[in-house]
Amino acid sequence: MDKNITINENDKVISSNNDKLLVVKDYDIDIDNLDKKAYVIDLAGNIYEEITIGVIIKFGYWKRENITFGEYKKRYYMEKIFENALLGFAIGDAFGLPYEFLDREKVRKISGDAIMSGGFHNMPAGTWSDDTSLVIATIDSLISVSSINYDDIMKKFSEWLTQSKYTPFGKCFGVGNTTNNAINRYIKGVIALNCGGKDFYDNGNGSLMRILPISLYCIFNNYSLEQQAQIINNISSLTHAHEISKMGCLIYTEFLKEIIISKNKSLALKKICNVDYAKFYSESTIQCYKKLLSLNFENINDQKINQSGYVVDTLEAVIYSIFRGTDYKNTILTSVNLGYDTDTVSALAGAIAGIIYGENDIPEDWIIELQKEEYLRSVAKNFSDFIYSDILAKKAQKKKI
């Protein structure tokens, strides 16, 4: 093999097997010509061997591709981010569910490092709750209508509430009052964007807990802060229409964005502290997050963290868990040991920790215990494929213009 051969971003990937690729240097090559020269490489562009196309193509476990090396890497890394985020979210949800509504002292007496059954809802080990169900419902809507459609999202939420769709066992449970009231308003004919509760006491964490797919949608579409805020405010308003709930969703999205870019917790905290929230929210709402945006999460103890269903408290608990966690497992154990709304805090922290540390850092027995693991992986894969195709379609449309 010629040692001077290097792989560049525009070389053509003609076949793949996860992190191993078959690449040709001539983009216009006929890939059915099995005698043509090709290279087996990894995602870093390192060449393992030079072969002819036919040697690999004859093996069925290699998937045919027709994409540049640069685009393949973008697609692959997007798939991994989406999968790690959704698995991290669902496992956090499942780990925290048995301890839901218990105070932190009680949790610390009975919690261990294995996923448990039972709890307030008496569910089997590995069961995920309404948090994950509503995330899946949102993803299903985005894919089925190829865009954000508020009416369709509420239709999907209604199917979850009334038909137990998007659940691990065909049973809808744990529905929050504000979410329940909003969906029932929709069922009775109220316009989707007018369904959310607008009272201060409607500021539970019900819109924050399902914002993950919309956050990813906005981040990977590279929307401006203004575009992002408008979409997120509307998505929150479907069930939680108060400004405090909307701002919490935007803060989480901005934190998540920096984590995806750098995987640096400190930079993510700095980012959310530097956003000009006055463009979108009243001063009274911003004041509610003053403590969160001024805390030194690297040097505080859990006595500074209130644990309740209030969206502000939830977000503080999530960021605290991320800073205290040194790996995925430790992040989840930290969030659960704060007590009370353990499934939601652990799910939201789990998505971020999944992105930071990756699936390989998640305890294998936790993955095995997770109900409908393969289904969740397929949801993540389908969502990633949709976003990637959507981005390419938008780029093609811009070129036409």
Side-chain angles (χ1 to χ4, degrees), residues 323-350:
F323 271 90
R324 294 288 290 183
T326 54
D327 55 22
Y328 181 87
K329 179 179 179 179
N330 187 248
T331 301
I332 298 303
L333 294 178
T334 298
S335 60
V336 166
N337 281 320
L338 291 173
Y340 193 71
D341 207 349
T342 47
D343 58 333
T344 298
V345 173
S346 297
L348 290 165

Side-chain angles (χ1 to χ4, degrees), residues 60-281:
Y61 59 83
W62 281 72
K63 176 185 173 184
R64 282 216 172 192
E65 302 281 1
N66 185 17
I67 188 173
T68 67
F69 178 47
E71 284 299 322
Y72 183 91
K73 286 192 293 183
K74 289 178 185 176
R75 190 183 73 186
Y76 180 85
Y77 289 130
M78 185 184 295
E79 286 176 4
K80 287 303 175 184
I81 287 170
F82 280 47
E83 186 174 42
N84 292 341
L86 187 57
L87 279 180
F89 187 97
I91 291 171
D93 185 2
F95 195 100
L97 183 63
Y99 307 103
E100 188 180 20
F101 304 134
L102 300 179
D103 63 43
R104 62 185 62 171
E105 286 74 22
K106 182 66 177 291
V107 170
R108 289 167 185 177
K109 288 179 182 178
I110 65 174
S111 65
D113 60 1
I115 293 182
M116 305 296 291
S117 60
F120 182 82
H121 303 288
N122 195 29
M123 301 302 288
T127 301
W128 29 272
S129 73
D130 55 327
D131 304 56
T132 303
S133 292
L134 288 175
V135 163
I136 296 170
T138 302
I139 291 172
D140 189 32
S141 177
L142 288 168
I143 294 173
S144 63
V145 299
S146 299
S147 67
I148 294 177
N149 183 300
Y150 304 116
D151 185 67
D152 189 75
I153 291 173
M154 287 301 280
K155 283 181 181 177
K156 299 294 190 289
F157 289 178
S158 300
E159 291 172 0
W160 162 71
L161 184 65
T162 62
Q163 302 171 31
S164 295
K165 196 173 179 181
Y166 313 112
T167 60
F169 302 114
K171 178 182 179 182
C172 180
F173 65 93
V175 188
N177 290 333
T178 304
T179 297
N180 184 68
N181 292 339
I183 295 173
N184 277 299
R185 288 188 196 105
Y186 177 77
I187 292 171
K188 292 175 182 177
V190 176
I191 295 170
L193 287 174
N194 293 337
C195 289
K198 299 177 177 64
D199 190 81
F200 174 81
Y201 292 100
D202 289 317
N203 282 309
N205 53 34
S207 64
L208 178 63
M209 75 182 193
R210 58 176 172 80
I211 202 63
L212 176 65
I214 301 300
S215 300
L216 292 171
Y217 181 90
C218 291
I219 291 166
F220 280 92
N221 272 286
N222 200 28
Y223 287 152
S224 67
L225 181 63
E226 288 73 20
Q227 291 172 308
Q228 187 174 275
Q230 182 180 16
I231 291 170
I232 285 170
N233 289 343
N234 286 339
I235 288 292
S236 179
S237 292
L238 297 175
T239 55
H240 295 66
H242 195 282
E243 272 195 356
I244 294 174
S245 291
K246 296 176 185 178
M247 184 170 164
C249 292
L250 183 62
I251 292 173
Y252 184 83
T253 301
E254 285 295 291
F255 192 92
L256 185 70
K257 182 189 294 183
E258 183 57 43
I259 291 296
I260 290 172
I261 293 169
S262 68
K263 296 187 179 179
N264 187 305
K265 308 171 191 179
S266 297
L267 287 179
L269 181 61
K270 184 177 180 180
K271 183 179 183 69
I272 64 173
C273 291
N274 289 333
V275 172
D276 184 5
Y277 297 105
K279 289 182 178 180
F280 316 112
Y281 309 109

